Amino acid sequence: MKKIVLAFIIILSGLLMGITGHGTQETELMESSYDINGYSIAYYENDKIMFQNYGDGIDEKSVFELASNGKVISAYIALRLVDEGKLNLEDKIAAFLDPDMLTNDERLYDITLKQLLCHTAGFSASFELGIDKKIYSNPGEKFCYSGVGYIYLQNVIESVSGMTMEQAAKYYVFDPLGMKNSTFEHIRTVTPYMNLSSVVMYLFTVFIIAFITLLLVIFVMKKVTKSRFFSYKISLIVCFIIAGIVNMFFLAVFVSKVVFAFGICFAFMGVSLFFARKNTKIFYAMIPIEAILILSLGFAIPVTIPVTNDIVAKAPNCAFTLKSTNEDMSVFCQELMEKYYSSDGAVKEMFSAAVNIDAVNSWGLGIAIESESKGETYWHSGINPGFQSLFVLYPFQNKYVVILTNSDNGLLFSKEIAKDFLEIEGNWDIKR
């Protein structure tokens, strides 16, 4: 086992030492400070775009996961449908929804397209474990950033356009703008890097919950039935195996980047149980001790590790499955800048505050707005396991910046890059 661990450390060290890149000295200091494994940055000013890349094989054509930044593209599509007269901002969305998206809450029939776009429909922010269709606040009452709301928006887009989300994106955005390496579908990306603490959290949360729940069920059944067939040792093994299978399924469907890591840990724990089977006290203590040890080390060691790309294809979803390159995203940002300066068209409404969040922040029709001392910035960020990104438009200076990273620390790094380039103290964050 020691040889395996040593080999893993040597291989990982070699990979990290082999990473090469280029950039300013200040950027290199920041990437070291935030433990960034790779990035691609697009700087736009004076009508020119400059790319800066860092990491093993990463350039402006490298594909990253952009997560929630797909919401801006879907908002753009919806506003194009408004321009075509197929939608109206004040349209009630219920008329366009599939039957399985409807609920018994009468407030659903009051939600408008505009409210979906600016996150005031009242839906939950969370959608990772299924679509939470519950409405938590009256439509139009307050801002609540919502992935669920944009899943509803996708349903509206697909219903009105007669296309799938991917087809609509290609028709209205990717093909016209020449974004040849962008998609909401499952494609290979650069290698994501996750914080070790995030990895162990994903690895064991569901496993521990399932394992303890199963043990409690077995304990209650034994007490109620008083059956001699319930052996605690066999029950523990059965619960361990079932909890492991449940967790593997959960990881494969929802966080498939780390499913292999759990497989390794699960096998290691299983082997440990096998060798400890003859010593009852050690046998019973083995699982909690190993779980606590792995969790403790995971949160105590501040490192990032490479994990697998998604191995289970997720259906195109505008809330989190966008994949793109910096070359493509710079083209899309250029389009947004041009729409900002245009005199007509529904897309221009994207940049008008539809709801005020606080004294500094508001939300337009699909994009966040932050007031600066010399004008507004327009921005959006994206966070998926192992990927974080940010783009900021600053029309006052005719500048924008796009930062894509394959790191769990990428958003903090991205904000520092944006501040340095735009020469402002922006925050680019809102309560979610």
Side-chain angles (χ1 to χ4, degrees):
M1 190 64 197
K2 290 182 179 179
K3 292 182 178 179
I4 295 174
V5 174
L6 181 60
F8 176 78
I9 293 173
I10 292 172
I11 293 170
L12 181 58
S13 300
L15 288 172
L16 294 176
M17 290 175 66
I19 291 174
T20 58
H22 61 278
T24 64
Q25 184 175 4
E26 186 174 353
T27 305
E28 289 171 353
L29 288 173
M30 280 194 282
E31 74 203 17
S32 174
S33 175
Y34 290 106
D35 193 14
I36 302 300
N37 297 94
Y39 61 73
S40 179
I41 306 174
Y43 302 99
Y44 175 82
E45 66 176 330
N46 300 323
D47 298 321
K48 293 181 180 180
I49 298 176
M50 182 184 73
F51 294 102
Q52 180 181 340
N53 305 295
Y54 171 82
D56 187 17
I58 289 178
D59 59 25
E60 58 270 21
K61 297 181 184 295
S62 299
V63 179
F64 292 75
E65 288 188 25
L66 272 73
S68 291
N69 284 311
K71 295 183 177 75
V72 186
I73 288 177
S74 60
Y76 178 96
I77 295 169
L79 293 171
R80 287 290 307 277
L81 290 168
V82 171
D83 278 335
E84 292 179 354
K86 296 178 181 178
L87 278 173
N88 187 288
L89 290 174
E90 299 304 326
D91 280 344
K92 301 295 197 304
I93 65 166
F96 308 106
L97 298 176
D98 293 339
D100 63 342
M101 299 293 284
L102 299 172
T103 68
N104 294 326
D105 192 330
E106 292 298 323
R107 292 177 296 178
L108 180 65
Y109 296 87
D110 295 327
I111 295 174
T112 66
L113 174 63
K114 183 176 181 179
Q115 289 164 351
L116 285 183
L117 291 170
C118 65
H119 298 286
T120 60
F123 289 115
S124 164
S126 178
F127 61 88
E128 288 83 356
L129 302 181
I131 303 175
D132 180 2
K133 300 174 186 177
K134 182 179 178 180
I135 298 174
Y136 289 85
S137 60
N138 293 328
E141 185 175 83
K142 64 179 182 179
F143 173 85
C144 179
Y145 183 86
S146 175
V148 175
Y150 269 70
I151 292 176
Y152 271 87
L153 177 65
Q154 175 172 329
N155 193 215
V156 172
I157 290 172
E158 291 177 336
S159 175
V160 172
S161 68
M163 308 176 191
T164 65
M165 187 65 215
E166 178 70 10
Q167 289 169 341
K170 286 178 65 67
Y171 182 81
Y172 286 102
V173 184
F174 301 153
D175 287 349
L177 299 182
M179 297 171 65
K180 298 178 180 179
N181 296 299
S182 298
T183 182
F184 284 98
E185 294 183 338
H186 181 64
I187 61 171
R188 186 169 181 80
T189 66
V190 299
T191 301
Y193 283 76
M194 292 178 63
N195 291 334
L196 187 57
S197 57
S198 298
V199 172
V200 298
M201 181 181 70
Y202 282 120
L203 289 186
F204 285 101
T205 299
V206 172
F207 172 78
I208 291 172
I209 293 173
F211 181 68
I212 293 175
T213 301
L214 289 167
L215 281 180
L216 290 174
V217 170
I218 293 292
F219 178 80
V220 171
M221 289 177 65
K222 182 175 176 62
K223 289 294 184 182
V224 171
T225 63
K226 297 181 180 180
S227 173
R228 296 179 180 178
F229 293 102
F230 285 99
S231 163
Y232 283 124
K233 182 173 285 189
I234 294 175
S235 296
L236 185 143
I237 295 173
V238 171
C239 292
F240 174 78
I241 294 172
I242 295 175
I245 293 172
V246 169
N247 197 47
M248 290 284 280
F249 176 79
F250 167 80
L251 294 176
V253 175
F254 296 106
V255 200
S256 50
K257 295 182 179 69
V258 297
V259 66
F260 289 137
F262 177 74
I264 294 171
C265 292
F266 187 60
F268 173 76
M269 294 172 71
V271 170
S272 300
L273 281 177
F274 176 79
F275 284 112
R277 68 189 186 281
K278 294 182 179 180
N279 189 311
T280 302
K281 291 182 178 179
I282 295 178
F283 179 83
Y284 286 130
M286 188 64 67
I287 292 177
I289 287 176
E290 289 182 332
I292 291 171
L293 178 62
I294 293 172
L295 288 169
S296 299
L297 289 174
F299 283 92
I301 303 175
V303 299
T304 58
I305 63 172
V307 293
T308 56
N309 288 278
D310 278 339
I311 58 174
V312 176
K314 295 175 173 62
N317 188 312
C318 73
F320 70 96
T321 69
L322 176 66
K323 289 92 176 175
S324 188
T325 69
N326 217 327
E327 184 176 64
D328 282 4
M329 283 304 294
S330 63
V331 171
F332 181 65
C333 286
Q334 187 64 44
E335 168 72 3
L336 292 180
M337 292 284 279
E338 291 177 8
K339 293 298 184 184
Y340 174 86
Y341 289 113
S342 67
S343 58
D344 55 10
V347 177
K348 183 177 174 61
E349 296 300 314
M350 183 180 286
F351 306 100
S352 298
V355 56
N356 292 319
I357 302 172
D358 53 42
V360 175
N361 296 286
S362 56
W363 209 276
L365 301 186
I367 198 166
I369 306 171
E370 182 174 304
S371 298
E372 313 295 344
S373 59
K374 296 182 179 179
E376 287 76 23
T377 54
Y378 303 88
W379 65 275
H380 211 288
S381 58
I383 299 174
N384 271 359
F387 291 97
Q388 295 189 0
S389 55
L390 173 73
F391 75 82
V392 184
L393 314 179
Y394 195 17
F396 176 79
Q397 290 187 353
N398 193 27
K399 286 184 177 182
Y400 66 75
V401 60
V402 185
I403 309 103
L404 312 182
T405 78
N406 58 337
S407 169
D408 275 347
N409 303 319
L411 192 54
L412 294 173
F413 168 79
S414 299
K415 290 178 182 179
E416 292 302 318
I417 293 295
K419 288 178 185 179
D420 182 61
F421 175 63
L422 301 176
E423 299 179 303
I424 52 178
E425 285 298 319
N427 189 43
W428 306 304
D429 198 5
I430 49 97
K431 184 178 180 180
R432 302 192 182 190

